[in-house]
Amino acid sequence: MKNIVVLVSGSGTNLQRIIDTIDNGEIQNAKVTLVVADRECYGLERAKNHKIENILIPRGKNFSSELANVIPTDTDLIVLAGFLSILKPEFCEKWNGKIINIHPALLPKFGGKGMWGHHVHHAVIEAREKESGATVHFVTSGIDEGEVILQKAFEITAEDTPETIAEKVHHIEYEIFPKAINKVLGNNS
């Protein structure tokens, strides 16, 4: 059984998707052993509702070192699921190849500092992009610069708004996140 730690900052919909796809067998041979949040959020409630150990570590300059102290040594994968804090390079290097993130755009476009949530979707529209999507990638010390594991695109229509793009991206995240987790864990799917 592979042990997954999930880091959250928000409502935890991608955390819920991970829990559900473990329960239904889509993600194989894995369990979420810990959920860590960097702020009060509904993601912690989701963890409690599923009797998953959960910890709040408030954002701050010591966040990465405090996080390092609570991550179990037998962790196989750390998943950033709507997690907004930047991890220190030392933390990223220690867990190199074992930390993944989902990003609401087609990296390498629209990544980096400040590119999260609605900021990404506004930038995509302002750039008059013909498509957008979601990307699961390895986390490195460079923001959104890690190797792409899986991404999927959709066409942007003239009627799309940041809100409709966000909704379409969320559907793609739900589809590709479990597949990417299986891939990184070495599961066949």
Side-chain angles (χ1 to χ4, degrees):
M1 187 68 67
K2 302 285 176 80
N3 296 319
I4 300 173
V5 172
V6 181
L7 308 186
V8 297
S9 295
S11 66
T13 55
N14 277 315
L15 166 63
Q16 187 66 55
R17 176 72 174 141
I18 292 165
I19 292 167
D20 292 346
T21 53
I22 287 172
D23 287 349
N24 73 19
E26 191 177 332
I27 296 176
Q28 304 127 29
N29 192 33
K31 64 181 178 189
V32 177
T33 57
L34 176 65
V35 172
V36 180
D38 64 352
R39 63 199 76 196
E40 284 291 343
C41 62
Y42 192 68
L44 289 171
E45 291 302 313
R46 289 182 194 273
K48 289 174 190 163
N49 292 342
H50 290 277
K51 298 179 179 28
I52 298 168
E53 184 182 349
N54 57 88
I55 300 171
L56 170 63
I57 303 174
R59 288 188 307 171
K61 64 179 181 165
N62 296 324
F63 179 83
S64 286
S65 59
E66 290 179 41
L67 178 62
N69 291 333
V70 302
I71 301 282
T73 55
D74 64 350
T75 298
D76 296 291
L77 184 62
I78 299 170
V79 177
L80 280 55
F83 183 70
L84 299 177
S85 288
I86 304 300
L87 297 169
K88 296 264 194 251
E90 306 80 46
F91 185 89
C92 295
E93 286 158 21
K94 177 182 178 186
W95 292 97
N96 185 39
K98 291 188 171 189
I99 313 177
I100 65 172
N101 180 44
I102 192 153
H103 186 77
L106 297 173
L107 293 176
K109 289 183 173 184
F110 306 104
K113 194 169 175 88
M115 283 287 113
W116 56 273
H118 69 278
H119 301 289
V120 173
H121 310 312
H122 280 285
V124 165
I125 285 181
E126 285 177 19
R128 292 184 162 72
E129 290 291 315
K130 301 220 181 306
E131 62 179 12
S132 190
T135 304
V136 181
H137 64 95
F138 285 105
V139 173
T140 62
S141 56
I143 301 169
D144 296 328
E145 293 177 5
E147 178 187 345
V148 170
I149 300 161
L150 204 57
Q151 67 183 183
K152 185 172 179 183
F154 61 85
E155 191 175 322
I156 295 175
T157 68
E159 293 78 35
D160 272 322
T161 65
E163 294 75 24
T164 61
I165 290 174
E167 189 175 315
K168 291 176 182 180
V169 165
H170 215 61
H171 286 292
I172 287 178
E173 289 177 342
Y174 274 23
E175 180 185 338
I176 69 173
F177 220 177
K179 291 176 182 175
I181 291 169
N182 271 329
K183 185 174 180 181
V184 173
L185 292 178
N187 294 333
N188 299 325
S189 71

